[in-house]
Amino acid sequence: MKREKRTPKYLGSVRFYRHLIVGAVLGSLFLSTGLAVFFGVENHQLKGAATVSVEREDALAPVEMVLPDGVAAEESEIAYQNAHSTLYAGERDFSFAPDREKTVYLTFDDGPTQRTGEILDILDQYGVKATFFVIYRDDEASKELYREIVARGHTIGVHSASHDYGKIYQSVDSYLADFEQIYQQIYEVTGVRPDLFRFPGGSVNAYNMDLYQEIIAEMLRRGFVYYDWNVGSGDTMRGATATAIADRVVAGMPAKRGIVLLHDSANKDQTVQALPQIIKRLQAQGYSFAPLDRMVRPCTFGYQSE
Ligand SMILES: [Zn+2]
């Protein structure tokens, strides 16, 4: 009697499903790592919405990425990709220069305010150029400040029109609509088409966890470069003194380059007072100061899953 040898059925077996799950996990891991390498970004571990992690300078080498021509013109199945047709960075080249040694990039979020003039004067006094990530204002004094930022040689970047987290992080489209409003305002008032931006709350925060990857992908597709930070100043902490802010910045400065988060806010007198200390102390240590431009390799947060 011939006995048929029975081979256990693989498809549908426990082993099959186990392989399927392992395959899916590995696949998504490779995909996310691949994307990070592709965009030449470093991955920072985010520990809470507004905290800053230690920069890993050696994480990834800069890579070149040039988006193909005509990306903007193609009709997409995704509605938001067809909308906001003027919202493309003039240049869509993602090649970054090698990091400069001992360089400080001061960045000021949330202006313009009645503090902006003082900040600009201090920067002038020390011959320092910085970066301002601005919000939407339509009064004449604010428009003059947008122009002053540009005229005095600083970089002007987009922060947000409304700075209303609940509103802008509702969907990719609401993010883009908000971005377009401030982008157009900067362009109309200064003649500069900003191509750098900073997310309100940083690129990964409690308001955009479900959405941040999609927003980032869309903003990169449109050619914009975003910067988180690797040096916190603590200037939003209640009761922070000017010396405490300066101490924190100086102590947190990496050997190569520091992208420093500061705020241009009407009630942040202490940030303005800290500024000369920050500049003098870092210059004494041999640091130089520069404004951001799209050749500076971005410093970006990554989301740390539970
Ligand atoms: Zn902000």
Side-chain angles (χ1 to χ4, degrees), residues 6-117:
R6 291 188 60 188
T7 42
K9 217 171 137 198
Y10 175 63
L11 220 67
S13 68
V14 173
R15 211 157 54 90
F16 168 75
Y17 284 112
R18 199 181 294 146
H19 289 169
L20 196 68
I21 291 164
V22 171
V25 169
L26 284 179
S28 62
L29 260 175
F30 284 132
L31 186 69
S32 56
T33 314
L35 279 175
V37 172
F38 185 61
F39 289 120
V41 299
E42 350 163 39
N43 226 359
H44 291 280
Q45 301 295 313
L46 187 78
K47 305 180 192 86
T51 58
V52 173
S53 57
V54 179
E55 188 179 24
R56 296 200 310 255
E57 285 290 349
D58 56 352
L60 290 168
V63 294
E64 271 193 25
M65 186 189 123
V66 183
L67 287 171
D69 285 339
V71 169
E74 272 171 28
E75 191 73 4
S76 167
E77 285 175 17
I78 303 169
Y80 63 69
Q81 295 197 336
N82 298 324
H84 314 287
S85 59
T86 59
L87 204 54
Y88 284 88
E91 204 183 322
R92 284 190 282 148
D93 181 355
F94 289 86
S95 38
F96 305 115
D99 291 348
R100 288 165 51 166
E101 294 293 319
K102 291 200 131 186
T103 306
V104 183
Y105 300 92
L106 297 177
T107 67
F108 297 90
D109 287 8
D110 302 349
T113 65
Q114 52 265 56
R115 295 267 168 251
T116 313

Side-chain angles (χ1 to χ4, degrees), residues 109-110 133 135 159-160 163 165 198-202 261 263:
D109 287 8
D110 302 349
F133 291 110
I135 60 172
H159 192 33
S160 164
H163 208 276
Y165 290 31
R198 170 169 286 148
F199 287 96
L261 174 68
H263 291 86

Side-chain angles (χ1 to χ4, degrees), residues 57-237:
E57 285 290 349
D58 56 352
L60 290 168
V63 294
E64 271 193 25
M65 186 189 123
V66 183
L67 287 171
D69 285 339
V71 169
E74 272 171 28
E75 191 73 4
S76 167
E77 285 175 17
I78 303 169
Y80 63 69
Q81 295 197 336
N82 298 324
H84 314 287
S85 59
T86 59
L87 204 54
Y88 284 88
E91 204 183 322
R92 284 190 282 148
D93 181 355
F94 289 86
S95 38
F96 305 115
D99 291 348
R100 288 165 51 166
E101 294 293 319
K102 291 200 131 186
T103 306
V104 183
Y105 300 92
L106 297 177
T107 67
F108 297 90
D109 287 8
D110 302 349
T113 65
Q114 52 265 56
R115 295 267 168 251
T116 313
E118 298 167 59
I119 293 171
L120 288 170
D121 287 346
I122 293 169
L123 294 175
D124 272 357
Q125 198 185 328
Y126 291 92
V128 164
K129 304 297 181 204
T131 302
F132 292 78
F133 291 110
V134 299
I135 60 172
Y136 183 89
R137 296 271 182 243
D138 202 32
D139 58 286
E140 283 311 314
S142 299
K143 286 183 182 174
E144 191 49 41
L145 288 170
Y146 291 138
R147 285 189 283 263
E148 279 287 298
I149 289 169
V150 173
R152 300 208 206 175
H154 306 289
T155 296
I156 193 162
V158 167
H159 192 33
S160 164
S162 67
H163 208 276
D164 179 344
Y165 290 31
K167 194 174 130 192
I168 64 178
Y169 293 131
Q170 243 168 40
S171 66
V172 180
D173 197 62
S174 55
Y175 183 82
L176 294 173
D178 175 273
F179 193 101
E180 191 168 30
Q181 191 188 2
I182 175 64
Y183 175 84
Q184 290 297 350
Q185 179 73 344
I186 295 170
Y187 178 53
E188 276 163 33
V189 174
T190 68
V192 171
R193 286 190 180 279
D195 57 2
L196 311 185
F197 70 107
R198 170 169 286 148
F199 287 96
S203 60
V204 185
N205 60 65
Y207 292 83
N208 71 2
M209 278 184 188
D210 298 334
L211 211 59
Y212 74 95
Q213 286 168 315
E214 209 179 332
I215 299 178
I216 290 170
E218 177 60 4
M219 294 310 289
L220 291 173
R221 188 188 70 85
R222 289 172 181 266
F224 295 97
V225 182
Y226 71 96
Y227 291 83
D228 286 317
W229 57 91
N230 63 351
V231 181
S233 66
D235 68 347
T236 53
M237 286 160 117

